Amino acid sequence: GHPFRHVGVNEVDYVYEGGPNSDLWNDTWTLRQGGVKQIRVILANDALPTATILQDLDEALGVAWSRGIRVTVALTNFYYGTHYGHNANGGHTAVAGDAHYYTDTCCGGIQLLNHAWIAGGYNDNYKPFVRAVVNRFAGDPRVFAWEVGNEIGAPNGDVEAAISFYRDMALTIKGLDPGHMVTTGIICTQWLPLTTQDQKNRLYQYMD
């Protein structure tokens, strides 16, 4: 019943600003001065082994926590973007092994995940990666929430495949870590696009 202020920011490369040339402390000090309580990152990095990603996330969570900031972890990206953090090894915001699924394009050539990925290909590399990450940080209070992925849409307009994917991953994550919130990462239901209340109910049934 009391008013409150919750400020969050996107910082895609935050996890990969650590190591010997760490910007984690500078970034979080500046953010904290602005009242930021949450940083949202994109974790997947196809240039690093999972073990290294887990180490980098642990370091990033520790620094953020010391500033009173928690981290929302977007586990992969609909777009084949680039990580520019100096500790990112020039990787893309994609799970290792998934590069061949980024064959759709939009907006002047931006590469997107294709229908084969959302219709089942995500089980090959993405889901094992998610299991490894969530298992490692299950119950960790430094994590604010798990995000299935950044703006993952419905390739070929296959809304039902997208709904099935989101439901499967929400149940998978909550099965490993029931104490954390899970979110889709989409802007709104029109992003997919969902056109009926039944579709919306099924998409969000296991989401927070």
Side-chain angles (χ1 to χ4, degrees), residues 32-146:
R32 189 57 186 166
Q33 305 317 298
V36 169
K37 297 180 181 178
Q38 178 191 167
I39 299 172
R40 176 179 176 267
V41 304
I42 298 180
L43 185 63
N45 185 333
D46 62 5
L48 296 175
T50 299
T52 300
I53 292 172
L54 297 180
Q55 291 173 2
D56 288 344
L57 179 57
D58 187 50
E59 180 185 9
L61 290 171
V63 174
W65 184 253
S66 74
R67 303 286 198 199
I69 297 171
R70 292 192 288 170
V71 179
T72 290
V73 181
L75 293 157
T76 194
N77 195 4
F78 190 47
Y79 314 96
Y80 197 56
T82 300
H83 275 300
Y84 294 100
H86 54 68
N87 213 30
N89 203 28
H92 297 96
T93 56
V95 174
D98 274 357
H100 67 286
Y101 286 114
Y102 287 88
T103 59
D104 288 356
T105 58
C106 81
C107 316
I110 297 174
Q111 293 170 265
L112 311 174
L113 285 167
N114 63 24
H115 183 261
W117 188 87
I118 199 121
Y122 69 89
N123 289 289
D124 297 343
N125 306 295
Y126 165 79
K127 192 183 235 182
F129 173 73
V130 170
R131 287 183 180 278
V133 174
V134 176
N135 264 323
R136 169 64 179 80
F137 295 99
D140 193 321
R142 302 174 300 175
V143 174
F144 184 81
W146 300 113

Side-chain angles (χ1 to χ4, degrees), residues 7 12 39 101 133 179 187-188 194:
V7 182
V12 171
I39 299 172
Y101 286 114
V133 174
I187 298 167
C188 60
L194 304 185

